[in-house]
Amino acid sequence: MAGNRNVNIVIIGSGIAGIAACHRLVNSGFTNVHILEATERSGGRIKTGRFGDKVIEIGANWIHGPSEENPVFCLARHYGLLDPEALTQENQAFDLGGETPWITNIFSSSGRKLSEKDIYPALEMFTVLLNESSQFQNQMGEPCTSVGDFIRSEVRKRCVEKWKDIDSATRSFQLCVISGMLKRECCVNGSHSLDEVGLGAFGQYKTFPGLDCTFPGGYEGLIANLMSELPDDIVKYNRPVRSVYWSNNEKQSSVMVECEDGERINADHVIVTVPLGYLKRHHSRLFHPPLPLHKLHSIQRLGFGTNNKIFVEFNEPWWDADCDVIQLVWEDEDALVDQVPDVKSSWIKKLFGFTVLKPTERYGHLLCGWIAGHESEYMETLPEQEVTDVVTQLVRRFTGNPSITPRRIQRSQWFQNPWTNGSYSYLATGCSQQDLENMMEPLPSNASKARPLQVLFAGEATHLCYFSTVHGALLTGWREADRLISHYSSTNPSRQYKANM
Ligand code: 6YU
């Protein structure tokens, strides 16, 4: 088989991982590559939408760490998709070092507008603890199982000494601020609660330098550019795959893919890029024979949660002109909580705040609210008018201005999306790097030159340190393409773009 570029390769899923794999295979001379995509579009969780005449991101928002090592940044620059500011050396060299560069406006549930100074004790303590949470990875014996438990117990211990000169009302307020920060961190991780995020492996996630930037014309521009370099009919849309028949039998090396409409496609290799949320629900229907147990257990153990956006447009801003983030503080939450007591009546308390879409000339007065977890999943089920009413009450309460009325809202609904079943993955309690290694392991496990790879796995949840991101997903697509390329060649595959695998 060596050197055979005509083998039949089927890729399941036309998100960035599937497209990246396809791109690299086609560029390496493979002529018989196809993508089967369940929906009518490419991009998956990269999804740009319209809000009136404005471009909004329903899914992925930023290039996290836009600098030379980040392949998404390099591609976006190559295609001319970024604002000049994002390309500057200062922007690329920017290292957060645990600090947030964003200018924040803080509003409390009693209608007070506070200054950043008012929340400084909480901010300082939370930043230190989040940083410490990443330090247990290479040490044996983290003090508790979850990031939530660690932060909560350390705040309770440390506030006694650190805040001894602060009066009890102010101290209680600082604890409420930390509750808001826990909720924000749920959005970052895509988890329901930080109690579900493992402490031991928290440091597994790695970042690049660079100040996060957006695509002024929309993230889907990246997809469109990559697709334009592929043959027109390479993606078969509206073609959900029901099952993949692979074999543990030495004598059989090909794979058969069965679509929901009954069509059967024989392939030499299949690259599966469906989201972890989909795998959790459908692995038993998708794989015949079933996945090896260690792989299945990792699918079950790894976390995959929901993070949604609620876009809200106003006629006039009620935030400062230089404000980047609006943070909300509920003054009855000094118990360090990141979950609401009753989802139906108080789901909105899980919304940590809003980011301000900038520049104003492009977006007008447009905010993006962030809400994670089961509260977010419940929000998806509500009529849009009810979400609008609840958000209106929230803004009126926190500003103390009973006449503020949003012009319109729009929300994402990632949990209801049957091909995603949530937003992105995280290392849940009990998880380790081994789970990500199990995720990426091809089938059969003992594949060799003589006994070829049948099923390969890509997608954000298969990256060892950039899981949950677009660049992570892209790199896994390249990784699995390279696995096949090196299988069919004696020399190492060339790298088209500098990439940290
Ligand atoms: C990033 C960001 N970002 C916000 C929100 C979301 C995500 N991410 P895909 O799902 O794209 O493709 C699979 C395809 O398969 C899809 O088209 C399906 O239709 C298809 N399919 C499924 N089943 C099928 C079947 N049976 N048959 C055929 N086809 C089938 N990432 O870099 N920047 O700002 C955000 C954000 C609301 C939902 C994000 C962000 C995540 C990315 O969007 C995501 O990883 C990739 O697009 C996935 O690509 P893919 O190809 O793998 O799957 C310590 C610590 C903390 C760790 N976390 C740090 C947080 C960083 C992440 N932050 C994200 C935040 C936002 C705001």
Side-chain angles (χ1 to χ4, degrees):
M1 283 270 233
N4 185 352
R5 290 292 195 264
N6 197 30
V7 286
N8 189 358
I9 303 172
V10 171
I11 298 169
I12 305 178
S14 196
I16 189 73
I19 295 168
C22 187
H23 206 262
R24 184 157 271 188
L25 287 166
V26 169
N27 283 344
S28 302
F30 285 83
T31 51
N32 203 353
V33 185
H34 286 99
I35 303 182
L36 300 176
E37 166 55 45
T39 69
E40 70 297 338
R41 56 176 285 277
S42 282
R45 282 170 275 172
I46 294 178
K47 187 173 185 193
T48 303
R50 291 259 156 199
F51 190 45
D53 58 349
K54 290 161 190 126
V55 170
I56 54 167
E57 303 294 358
I58 311 294
N61 218 73
W62 294 283
I63 302 180
H64 290 307
S67 49
E68 288 301 330
E69 293 291 303
N70 185 329
V72 172
F73 173 72
C74 295
L75 282 171
R77 180 178 58 186
H78 170 76
Y79 293 129
L81 300 173
L82 300 178
D83 275 335
E85 200 189 332
L87 301 173
T88 60
Q89 284 307 319
E90 301 89 278
N91 218 79
Q92 290 183 52
F94 196 94
D95 204 339
L96 284 179
E99 298 296 321
T100 75
W102 316 118
I103 294 177
T104 307
N105 282 184
I106 304 116
F107 294 86
S108 82
S109 53
S110 62
R112 291 188 294 151
K113 183 165 184 286
L114 301 135
S115 71
E116 293 192 49
K117 179 170 85 5
D118 296 323
I119 64 160
Y120 186 75
L123 180 63
E124 186 195 29
M125 190 178 292
F126 193 80
T127 306
V128 167
L129 287 173
L130 205 56
N131 191 28
E132 285 183 23
S133 301
S134 298
Q135 311 295 320
F136 295 104
Q137 194 198 356
N138 299 319
Q139 298 170 15
M140 292 301 283
E142 58 276 14
C144 30
T145 53
S146 75
V147 175
D149 278 347
F150 175 69
I151 292 183
R152 245 191 299 276
S153 65
E154 287 300 313
V155 169
R156 288 196 184 110
K157 264 190 247 162
R158 294 181 196 192
C159 73
V160 178
E161 176 57 26
K162 277 221 136 220
W163 298 348
K164 62 178 184 300
D165 299 329
I166 299 181
D167 66 81
S168 70
T170 310
R171 188 187 289 203
S172 158
F173 181 77
Q174 298 304 316
L175 296 174
C176 295
V177 173
I178 291 185
S179 292
M181 290 168 177
L182 291 169
K183 292 182 225 168
R184 187 193 63 197
E185 219 30 51
C186 288
C187 291
V188 171
N189 286 273
S191 62
H192 170 57
S193 162
L194 287 194
D195 297 355
E196 293 172 6
V197 179
L199 181 61
F202 194 60
Q204 182 73 23
Y205 179 78
K206 297 284 182 287
T207 55
F208 297 118
L211 186 57
D212 289 3
C213 67
T214 55
F215 289 74
Y219 228 125
E220 273 190 22
L222 176 66
I223 301 294
N225 274 280
L226 287 167
M227 295 302 294
S228 73
E229 293 168 1
L230 292 171
D232 276 348
D233 56 352
I234 204 149
V235 184
K236 295 186 196 310
Y237 291 104
N238 300 307
R239 204 67 65 92
V241 168
R242 177 169 39 207
S243 300
V244 175
Y245 293 87
W246 60 289
S247 172
N248 255 327
N249 179 336
E250 297 260 327
K251 294 198 182 95
Q252 195 189 329
S253 63
S254 68
V255 199
M256 200 264 287
V257 174
E258 186 180 55
C259 297
E260 288 287 355
D261 64 7
E263 186 188 358
R264 292 175 164 210
I265 301 164
N266 288 314
D268 295 291
H269 310 282
V270 173
I271 305 181
V272 175
T273 76
V274 302
L276 174 61
Y278 183 88
L279 283 179
K280 278 179 182 285
R281 275 198 199 179
H282 301 293
H283 63 82
S284 62
R285 206 174 72 128
L286 192 57
F287 296 102
H288 302 277
L291 293 172
L293 266 188
H294 65 284
K295 211 168 167 69
L296 176 58
H297 286 159
S298 292
I299 289 172
Q300 290 167 337
R301 233 182 341 253
L302 284 163
F304 193 82
T306 304
N307 179 21
N308 272 311
K309 306 177 181 185
I310 307 178
F311 293 94
V312 196
E313 190 179 34
F314 296 89
N315 289 326
E316 297 296 332
W318 43 270
W319 53 93
D320 296 341
D322 60 355
C323 170
D324 298 302
V325 179
I326 295 168
Q327 198 170 316
L328 306 177
V329 182
W330 289 87
E331 292 183 50
D332 60 351
E333 288 189 340
D334 62 1
L336 300 173
V337 288
D338 62 7
Q339 302 167 60
V340 307
D342 176 46
V343 171
K344 284 192 178 163
S345 62
S346 52
W347 61 268
I348 192 69
K349 289 182 86 174
K350 187 64 169 273
L351 186 128
F352 93 80
F354 300 92
T355 47
V356 183
L357 274 77
K358 288 191 167 176
T360 309
E361 308 81 66
R362 192 180 290 153
Y363 294 105
H365 309 301
L366 183 53
L367 300 181
C368 175
W370 296 88
I371 179 165
H374 302 327
E375 297 85 346
S376 185
E377 290 160 11
Y378 177 73
M379 178 279 295
E380 291 188 22
T381 66
L382 298 173
E384 193 164 284
Q385 187 56 50
E386 188 170 338
V387 177
T388 308
D389 292 345
V390 174
V391 170
T392 306
Q393 284 160 20
L394 176 88
V395 172
R396 288 178 178 174
R397 175 172 181 168
F398 277 74
T399 55
N401 180 343
S403 60
I404 294 182
T405 306
R407 277 173 67 173
R408 56 187 161 181
I409 74 147
Q410 191 171 317
R411 55 162 161 190
S412 62
Q413 291 167 298
W414 286 103
F415 186 66
Q416 288 192 355
N417 182 321
W419 311 110
T420 310
N421 303 128
S423 298
Y424 40 89
S425 57
Y426 61 92
L427 293 181
T429 52
C431 287
S432 68
Q433 173 172 329
Q434 186 62 50
D435 290 300
L436 296 164
E437 284 171 8
N438 292 347
M439 288 295 291
M440 70 159 85
E441 186 185 277
L443 299 173
S445 302
N446 57 350
S448 64
K449 284 258 175 199
R451 183 147 190 260
L453 304 153
Q454 293 175 26
V455 188
L456 301 91
F457 292 84
E460 55 89 6
T462 73
H463 198 283
L464 290 188
C465 57
Y466 304 133
F467 53 87
S468 75
T469 65
V470 173
H471 53 274
L474 177 103
L475 288 170
T476 65
W478 284 349
R479 181 191 68 211
E480 296 310 313
D482 285 348
R483 205 191 288 274
L484 286 176
I485 294 164
S486 57
H487 184 78
Y488 285 103
S489 59
S490 44
T491 52
N492 281 334
S494 61
R495 290 269 182 284
Q496 199 178 359
Y497 299 97
K498 194 175 175 205
N500 184 348
M501 301 296 283

mmCIF file of all heavy atoms in Angstrom, residues 423-445:
data_model
loop_
_atom_site.group_PDB
_atom_site.id
_atom_site.type_symbol
_atom_site.label_atom_id
_atom_site.label_comp_id
_atom_site.label_asym_id
_atom_site.label_seq_id
_atom_site.Cartn_x
_atom_site.Cartn_y
_atom_site.Cartn_z
ATOM 1 N N SER A 423 -21.294 22.541 24.466
ATOM 2 C CA SER A 423 -20.392 23.549 23.875
ATOM 3 C C SER A 423 -18.964 23.048 23.666
ATOM 4 O O SER A 423 -18.460 23.053 22.562
ATOM 5 C CB SER A 423 -20.376 24.806 24.740
ATOM 6 O OG SER A 423 -21.685 25.350 24.775
ATOM 7 N N TYR A 424 -18.287 22.656 24.745
ATOM 8 C CA TYR A 424 -16.920 22.145 24.580
ATOM 9 C C TYR A 424 -16.490 21.357 25.805
ATOM 10 O O TYR A 424 -17.204 21.307 26.803
ATOM 11 C CB TYR A 424 -15.911 23.247 24.234
ATOM 12 C CG TYR A 424 -16.094 24.556 24.959
ATOM 13 C CD1 TYR A 424 -15.495 24.791 26.168
ATOM 14 C CD2 TYR A 424 -16.877 25.561 24.402
ATOM 15 C CE1 TYR A 424 -15.657 26.002 26.827
ATOM 16 C CE2 TYR A 424 -17.051 26.780 25.043
ATOM 17 C CZ TYR A 424 -16.444 26.987 26.259
ATOM 18 O OH TYR A 424 -16.620 28.175 26.898
ATOM 19 N N SER A 425 -15.317 20.746 25.708
ATOM 20 C CA SER A 425 -14.927 19.767 26.712
ATOM 21 C C SER A 425 -14.052 20.376 27.814
ATOM 22 O O SER A 425 -13.439 21.428 27.616
ATOM 23 C CB SER A 425 -14.186 18.615 26.036
ATOM 24 O OG SER A 425 -13.083 19.117 25.336
ATOM 25 N N TYR A 426 -14.009 19.696 28.930
ATOM 26 C CA TYR A 426 -13.108 20.076 30.023
ATOM 27 C C TYR A 426 -12.673 18.803 30.737
ATOM 28 O O TYR A 426 -13.296 17.739 30.581
ATOM 29 C CB TYR A 426 -13.791 21.054 30.997
ATOM 30 C CG TYR A 426 -15.019 20.508 31.688
ATOM 31 C CD1 TYR A 426 -14.934 19.881 32.929
ATOM 32 C CD2 TYR A 426 -16.271 20.613 31.094
ATOM 33 C CE1 TYR A 426 -16.062 19.381 33.566
ATOM 34 C CE2 TYR A 426 -17.406 20.110 31.712
ATOM 35 C CZ TYR A 426 -17.298 19.497 32.949
ATOM 36 O OH TYR A 426 -18.418 18.982 33.558
ATOM 37 N N LEU A 427 -11.601 18.909 31.507
ATOM 38 C CA LEU A 427 -11.126 17.752 32.253
ATOM 39 C C LEU A 427 -11.890 17.699 33.580
ATOM 40 O O LEU A 427 -11.652 18.490 34.485
ATOM 41 C CB LEU A 427 -9.615 17.852 32.487
ATOM 42 C CG LEU A 427 -8.761 17.734 31.215
ATOM 43 C CD1 LEU A 427 -7.278 17.812 31.537
ATOM 44 C CD2 LEU A 427 -9.055 16.438 30.472
ATOM 45 N N ALA A 428 -12.832 16.782 33.630
ATOM 46 C CA ALA A 428 -13.690 16.660 34.811
ATOM 47 C C ALA A 428 -12.913 16.012 35.956
ATOM 48 O O ALA A 428 -11.788 15.522 35.771
ATOM 49 C CB ALA A 428 -14.909 15.818 34.452
ATOM 50 N N THR A 429 -13.527 15.980 37.125
ATOM 51 C CA THR A 429 -12.868 15.335 38.272
ATOM 52 C C THR A 429 -12.557 13.878 37.898
ATOM 53 O O THR A 429 -13.360 13.209 37.243
ATOM 54 C CB THR A 429 -13.775 15.351 39.524
ATOM 55 O OG1 THR A 429 -15.044 14.822 39.154
ATOM 56 C CG2 THR A 429 -13.960 16.756 40.062
ATOM 57 N N GLY A 430 -11.400 13.434 38.305
ATOM 58 C CA GLY A 430 -10.993 12.045 38.018
ATOM 59 C C GLY A 430 -10.318 11.883 36.670
ATOM 60 O O GLY A 430 -9.865 10.797 36.332
ATOM 61 N N CYS A 431 -10.242 12.960 35.865
ATOM 62 C CA CYS A 431 -9.617 12.847 34.538
ATOM 63 C C CYS A 431 -8.131 13.171 34.603
ATOM 64 O O CYS A 431 -7.680 13.915 35.472
ATOM 65 C CB CYS A 431 -10.260 13.828 33.558
ATOM 66 S SG CYS A 431 -11.892 13.340 33.047
ATOM 67 N N SER A 432 -7.411 12.618 33.645
ATOM 68 C CA SER A 432 -5.988 12.936 33.524
ATOM 69 C C SER A 432 -5.644 13.002 32.044
ATOM 70 O O SER A 432 -6.490 12.727 31.186
ATOM 71 C CB SER A 432 -5.149 11.849 34.197
ATOM 72 O OG SER A 432 -5.267 10.658 33.438
ATOM 73 N N GLN A 433 -4.397 13.303 31.772
ATOM 74 C CA GLN A 433 -3.928 13.346 30.385
ATOM 75 C C GLN A 433 -4.214 12.019 29.663
ATOM 76 O O GLN A 433 -4.464 11.992 28.467
ATOM 77 C CB GLN A 433 -2.422 13.640 30.376
ATOM 78 C CG GLN A 433 -1.826 13.548 28.997
ATOM 79 C CD GLN A 433 -0.395 14.030 28.946
ATOM 80 O OE1 GLN A 433 0.002 14.915 29.700
ATOM 81 N NE2 GLN A 433 0.382 13.456 28.052
ATOM 82 N N GLN A 434 -4.196 10.929 30.428
ATOM 83 C CA GLN A 434 -4.431 9.610 29.830
ATOM 84 C C GLN A 434 -5.787 9.557 29.116
ATOM 85 O O GLN A 434 -5.928 8.903 28.080
ATOM 86 C CB GLN A 434 -4.352 8.537 30.923
ATOM 87 C CG GLN A 434 -4.446 7.118 30.401
ATOM 88 C CD GLN A 434 -3.292 6.773 29.447
ATOM 89 O OE1 GLN A 434 -2.137 6.999 29.788
ATOM 90 N NE2 GLN A 434 -3.618 6.256 28.264
ATOM 91 N N ASP A 435 -6.777 10.259 29.652
ATOM 92 C CA ASP A 435 -8.099 10.233 29.010
ATOM 93 C C ASP A 435 -8.043 10.876 27.624
ATOM 94 O O ASP A 435 -8.686 10.395 26.693
ATOM 95 C CB ASP A 435 -9.123 10.963 29.897
ATOM 96 C CG ASP A 435 -9.416 10.160 31.150
ATOM 97 O OD1 ASP A 435 -9.892 9.021 31.018
ATOM 98 O OD2 ASP A 435 -9.128 10.656 32.256
ATOM 99 N N LEU A 436 -7.278 11.955 27.511
ATOM 100 C CA LEU A 436 -7.153 12.603 26.200
ATOM 101 C C LEU A 436 -6.357 11.704 25.255
ATOM 102 O O LEU A 436 -6.660 11.617 24.062
ATOM 103 C CB LEU A 436 -6.493 13.977 26.361
ATOM 104 C CG LEU A 436 -7.321 14.967 27.197
ATOM 105 C CD1 LEU A 436 -6.475 16.143 27.654
ATOM 106 C CD2 LEU A 436 -8.531 15.469 26.414
ATOM 107 N N GLU A 437 -5.358 11.005 25.807
ATOM 108 C CA GLU A 437 -4.598 10.064 24.973
ATOM 109 C C GLU A 437 -5.500 8.936 24.488
ATOM 110 O O GLU A 437 -5.427 8.525 23.325
ATOM 111 C CB GLU A 437 -3.396 9.503 25.757
ATOM 112 C CG GLU A 437 -2.287 10.527 25.842
ATOM 113 C CD GLU A 437 -1.152 10.126 26.783
ATOM 114 O OE1 GLU A 437 -1.145 8.978 27.272
ATOM 115 O OE2 GLU A 437 -0.293 10.998 27.034
ATOM 116 N N ASN A 438 -6.370 8.461 25.369
ATOM 117 C CA ASN A 438 -7.314 7.414 24.955
ATOM 118 C C ASN A 438 -8.252 7.924 23.864
ATOM 119 O O ASN A 438 -8.611 7.189 22.945
ATOM 120 C CB ASN A 438 -8.144 6.935 26.153
ATOM 121 C CG ASN A 438 -7.313 6.183 27.180
ATOM 122 O OD1 ASN A 438 -6.172 5.801 26.898
ATOM 123 N ND2 ASN A 438 -7.863 5.973 28.359
ATOM 124 N N MET A 439 -8.662 9.196 23.990
ATOM 125 C CA MET A 439 -9.581 9.786 22.995
ATOM 126 C C MET A 439 -8.964 9.778 21.604
ATOM 127 O O MET A 439 -9.647 9.558 20.609
ATOM 128 C CB MET A 439 -9.911 11.242 23.366
ATOM 129 C CG MET A 439 -10.816 11.418 24.545
ATOM 130 S SD MET A 439 -12.450 10.789 24.261
ATOM 131 C CE MET A 439 -13.090 11.930 23.059
ATOM 132 N N MET A 440 -7.678 10.065 21.533
ATOM 133 C CA MET A 440 -7.051 10.225 20.202
ATOM 134 C C MET A 440 -6.547 8.894 19.630
ATOM 135 O O MET A 440 -6.183 8.824 18.477
ATOM 136 C CB MET A 440 -5.903 11.239 20.266
ATOM 137 C CG MET A 440 -4.714 10.734 21.025
ATOM 138 S SD MET A 440 -3.222 11.626 20.599
ATOM 139 C CE MET A 440 -3.322 13.005 21.673
ATOM 140 N N GLU A 441 -6.550 7.852 20.429
ATOM 141 C CA GLU A 441 -5.985 6.574 19.970
ATOM 142 C C GLU A 441 -6.814 5.977 18.824
ATOM 143 O O GLU A 441 -8.023 5.817 18.928
ATOM 144 C CB GLU A 441 -5.969 5.597 21.152
ATOM 145 C CG GLU A 441 -5.285 4.298 20.853
ATOM 146 C CD GLU A 441 -5.419 3.327 22.025
ATOM 147 O OE1 GLU A 441 -4.612 3.431 22.963
ATOM 148 O OE2 GLU A 441 -6.343 2.502 22.003
ATOM 149 N N PRO A 442 -6.146 5.657 17.711
ATOM 150 C CA PRO A 442 -6.901 5.090 16.577
ATOM 151 C C PRO A 442 -7.300 3.635 16.817
ATOM 152 O O PRO A 442 -6.781 2.999 17.730
ATOM 153 C CB PRO A 442 -5.913 5.175 15.404
ATOM 154 C CG PRO A 442 -4.657 5.753 15.931
ATOM 155 C CD PRO A 442 -4.718 5.772 17.418
ATOM 156 N N LEU A 443 -8.165 3.127 15.972
ATOM 157 C CA LEU A 443 -8.609 1.735 16.025
ATOM 158 C C LEU A 443 -8.150 1.014 14.755
ATOM 159 O O LEU A 443 -8.195 1.620 13.681
ATOM 160 C CB LEU A 443 -10.137 1.656 16.091
ATOM 161 C CG LEU A 443 -10.811 2.311 17.282
ATOM 162 C CD1 LEU A 443 -12.323 2.284 17.088
ATOM 163 C CD2 LEU A 443 -10.428 1.615 18.572
ATOM 164 N N PRO A 444 -7.780 -0.235 14.804
ATOM 165 C CA PRO A 444 -7.643 -1.007 16.029
ATOM 166 C C PRO A 444 -6.413 -0.561 16.807
ATOM 167 O O PRO A 444 -5.492 0.009 16.239
ATOM 168 C CB PRO A 444 -7.481 -2.442 15.519
ATOM 169 C CG PRO A 444 -6.913 -2.298 14.156
ATOM 170 C CD PRO A 444 -7.452 -1.021 13.598
ATOM 171 N N SER A 445 -6.413 -0.874 18.087
ATOM 172 C CA SER A 445 -5.345 -0.373 18.959
ATOM 173 C C SER A 445 -3.977 -0.889 18.537
ATOM 174 O O SER A 445 -2.978 -0.215 18.734
ATOM 175 C CB SER A 445 -5.600 -0.801 20.405
ATOM 176 O OG SER A 445 -6.848 -0.315 20.807
#
